Amino acid sequence: MDGPQDSSEARRAPSAATSDDPCADLSRRGFIQGGAAALVAAGATPLPGAVGPASDVMREATQVAQGVPTTLLRFTLNGVPQNLTVEDRWTLAELLRDRLEGVSGTKVGCERGECGACTVLVDGAPVYSCSTLAVWMEGRSVLTVEGLAPRGELSPLQRAFIEHNAPQCGYCTSGQLMSATALLERNPSPTADDVRRALVGNLCRCANYNAIVEAVLAAAGTAATGGAE
Amino acid sequence: MKAFKNWNARSIAMAVDLARQARADGQSVSFAGGGTDLLQLVKDHIPNRPGQGEPDVLVSLKGIDGPSRIEMTTGGGVTIGALATLTAVSESLVVRDRFNAIAEAAAVVATPQIRNVGTVGGNLAQRPWCWYFRNGFPCYKAGGDRCFSAGGENQLHAIFGGGPSYIVHPSDLAPALVAFGATFRIAGSGGERTVSAPDFFVPPRTDAQHENVLADDEVLVGVDVPAPAAGTRSTYHKIMDREAWTHALSSAAVVMQMDGDVCRRASIVLGGVAPIPWRVPEAEALLAGQRVTPELARRVGEVAVTGARPLAKNAYKVPLTRGVVERTVLALASRA
């Protein structure tokens, strides 16, 4: 199905979707959830804790499995206080991506604290959300990539990422953005080496590191003084 | 992950008590500091304590305030709480000013994301990163009765002090703390006790399964580093197979008490080459009372590796370690 004969399809830009395209209004995540809803409608048993199709309901519904230890968790997510019952075993990445709605910009790559795709800021510091438990966030403030553009307006760093083609496949981008955001908060005029050091825990499998460093320097307004070699 | 119960402890006494109660109920318990390594072990079904199953209960120490502090003592030493993050240690002005090797060691652990969460206690008590242990082989470290690296893939393993297990101790802080003569404070159901840094780490000949003296019910609560003598300077040099984000192939913590260009006393402790932080007293003795010339540094490097016994695939660590010691000693002595 994904063979070479489909390459023209694969190359079609996302903007090519026209208004008569039935998929035009569907996000990939919405599509996947729609599929899950169809399974439920067809009589399949939903997994315990699986989210339903209606997004307004899902925001509240962090359903937990039966007989599994849970804890009431209070923390701040992108500036909004949260009060949720979570399973003790959930990682923060799991809570964000699989149990809450609208914060799936955080990605999970390796699921073992090595790649950095899951990086979020906890009280301003970059942290691997796959390697910390949700229950350990009690009283803490968590910022995800969604929090960088609270009203849909991209931050200067995000705009610089676009202008400098910093994302290739884009999977590591949200993690890179979070580490770079923390760096610029701490050091508004970093050198290229400062940027490299700050982003050392964020791997880019496309190896687009030069463009990422350029973008961060551009966002800091220091691009003229230190290009990425 | 396994459906464990997490307790957020509010004090060390509460943590020890929670662990004791859970154990009395027949449950397997793990203390969690930063938890980055612990969660990895749980996800991979690797025992955190040798011979124990996956934890039924985690006792999180994160919410405890006191043991995260770093404070200068009245005598000019420093006390570092075991829950201080590696970032806090690397940025502490007291540590950087007087105990530079400790700050440098903390700064080269893993990545910023790990250092922002990982603690001093966790760095010192982390399990080995031997690929056999981490991939579920029933080795000594998992409670078994073999070391698979001895006759296997031992590129990253010990050249000193190995047998019957050949792991290398993965901590960067450990060599620096041993070189500064630190002592460790440990809390458990029997109260608090203190051990010197070298006595905290256990060679495999004494106990092949554990890397340190912590009992199942014990937790590291703090590190006390005595005041350095006047003229003391120090550094930590770590060699990795890439520039960041991995463990030491070989490393050296060097502390020197200088009097002009003469070295009065030196401590040299190696990392990444032995199952415990590896002190090289004969090499240290060469430096006592001497002007540090390139020729002397070369001999110090040579003497540091005279006792090395490499395995089939890690002989490269011998010249590497010799070079690390030579260069680090010379650079530190020449530092203005």
Side-chain angles (χ1 to χ4, degrees):
Chain A
M1 218 163 100
D2 290 309
Q5 71 273 21
D6 292 327
S7 60
S8 61
E9 196 78 2
R11 269 193 238 114
R12 185 194 288 170
S15 58
T18 55
S19 56
D20 60 328
D21 183 335
C23 294
D25 295 333
L26 277 181
S27 69
R28 183 177 55 178
R29 190 173 179 82
F31 175 78
I32 292 165
Q33 284 166 352
L39 276 178
V40 174
T45 310
L47 291 169
V51 291
S55 61
D56 288 347
V57 178
M58 275 187 288
R59 184 134 197 78
E60 311 279 316
T62 53
Q63 293 177 29
V64 297
Q66 291 293 311
V68 166
T70 59
T71 297
L72 179 65
L73 168 67
R74 289 149 304 185
F75 75 117
T76 304
L77 177 59
N78 297 329
V80 181
Q82 306 284 328
N83 215 326
L84 310 162
T85 298
V86 300
E87 290 185 22
D88 288 14
R89 64 176 164 178
W90 287 350
T91 64
L92 176 57
E94 210 172 337
L95 172 65
L96 295 171
R97 288 187 50 78
D98 302 344
R99 312 290 167 168
L100 294 176
E101 179 66 10
V103 279
S104 59
T106 301
K107 302 303 178 201
V108 173
C110 66
E111 174 70 3
R112 51 197 308 115
E114 290 176 0
C115 77
C118 70
T119 302
V120 300
L121 304 190
V122 176
D123 295 335
V127 161
Y128 293 136
S129 64
C130 78
S131 296
T132 195
L133 289 181
V135 283
W136 294 343
M137 292 300 108
E138 177 67 27
R140 316 292 292 270
S141 177
V142 176
L143 187 75
T144 69
V145 70
E146 290 82 4
L148 298 184
R151 282 164 297 280
E153 189 180 321
L154 300 180
S155 72
L157 178 68
Q158 288 174 304
R159 289 201 298 274
F161 262 58
I162 294 169
E163 282 154 22
H164 290 262
N165 289 325
Q168 276 195 22
C169 84
Y171 201 79
C172 72
T173 304
S174 45
Q176 305 276 6
L177 285 167
M178 300 321 289
S179 287
T181 296
L183 167 70
L184 295 178
E185 189 66 35
R186 206 172 58 247
N187 176 4
S189 311
T191 63
D193 273 345
D194 291 337
V195 176
R196 291 188 190 105
R197 266 194 297 274
L199 298 183
V200 80
N202 292 82
L203 305 186
C204 169
R205 209 193 69 166
C206 308
N208 203 29
Y209 295 106
N210 288 349
I212 293 169
V213 174
E214 273 174 26
V216 179
L217 291 172
T222 53
T225 56
E229 298 305 322
Chain B
M1 265 189 287
K2 174 178 170 169
F4 49 74
K5 178 64 202 165
N6 173 80
W7 296 109
N8 290 332
R10 296 284 159 227
S11 68
I12 291 292
M14 179 183 171
V16 168
D17 203 47
L18 283 167
R20 190 183 50 74
Q21 284 176 29
R23 227 172 253 113
D25 293 342
Q27 295 178 303
S28 168
V29 184
S30 283
F31 292 106
T36 54
D37 184 24
L38 177 63
L39 291 187
Q40 212 47 70
L41 293 165
V42 174
K43 287 179 191 174
D44 289 344
H45 313 287
I46 308 289
N48 181 41
R49 300 292 299 175
Q52 279 193 12
E54 294 171 54
D56 305 304
V57 172
L58 301 191
V59 176
S60 170
L61 310 172
K62 280 171 184 290
I64 307 176
D65 183 40
S68 64
R69 293 195 206 119
I70 300 171
E71 286 165 332
M72 198 154 128
T73 62
T74 45
V78 68
T79 174
I80 305 173
L83 291 170
T85 64
L86 296 166
T87 298
V89 174
S90 69
E91 291 178 353
S92 158
L93 294 179
V94 175
V95 178
R96 285 166 64 162
D97 181 42
R98 302 174 68 88
F99 309 92
N100 192 42
I102 299 172
E104 286 181 349
V108 293
V109 175
T111 63
Q113 288 94 323
I114 298 279
R115 296 195 293 272
N116 287 337
V117 174
T119 61
V120 169
N123 183 266
L124 295 170
Q126 67 186 306
R127 299 308 316 279
W129 287 87
C130 168
W131 38 39
Y132 290 104
F133 171 65
R134 293 281 170 168
N135 282 285
F137 284 69
C139 67
Y140 289 114
K141 298 302 180 183
D145 61 355
R146 287 184 59 186
C147 175
F148 293 85
S149 75
E153 298 300 320
N154 48 39
Q155 289 87 337
L156 302 178
H157 292 73
I159 57 170
F160 296 103
S165 163
Y166 290 87
I167 63 130
V168 289
H169 201 280
S171 170
D172 289 304
L173 281 181
L177 291 172
V178 171
F180 268 109
T183 53
F184 295 174
R185 272 175 288 115
I186 297 168
S189 28
E192 197 166 301
R193 65 178 175 132
T194 302
V195 297
S196 72
D199 290 342
F200 178 78
F201 301 100
V202 177
R205 243 175 272 286
T206 306
D207 180 345
Q209 297 192 334
H210 300 86
E211 298 81 58
N212 56 59
V213 298
L214 288 175
D216 285 347
D217 67 335
E218 286 185 321
V219 61
L220 196 55
V221 293
V223 170
D224 298 310
V225 192
T232 296
R233 57 178 76 168
S234 68
T235 192
Y236 181 72
H237 189 155
K238 177 181 183 180
I239 301 291
M240 296 173 270
D241 59 9
R242 51 184 184 268
E243 281 188 49
W245 200 189
T246 187
H247 297 97
L249 295 174
S250 179
S251 70
V254 180
V255 178
M256 280 178 164
Q257 184 194 342
M258 299 297 289
D259 182 355
D261 61 354
V262 173
C263 175
R264 290 290 160 217
R265 275 183 57 192
S267 313
I268 305 174
V269 185
L270 307 178
V273 290
I276 56 172
W278 194 255
R279 190 158 197 164
V280 284
E282 295 83 2
E284 293 171 357
L286 282 181
L287 285 162
Q290 301 296 317
R291 265 188 68 234
V292 183
T293 61
E295 171 56 22
L296 177 60
R298 197 185 57 73
R299 279 202 292 129
V300 171
E302 268 171 17
V303 169
V305 297
T306 45
R309 293 183 56 193
L311 299 160
K313 300 184 178 183
N314 67 2
Y316 73 94
K317 284 195 177 189
V318 178
L320 183 67
T321 303
R322 187 174 63 217
V324 169
V325 171
E326 175 184 338
R327 282 191 201 177
T328 310
V329 162
L330 193 60
L332 184 63
S334 322
R335 193 179 281 180

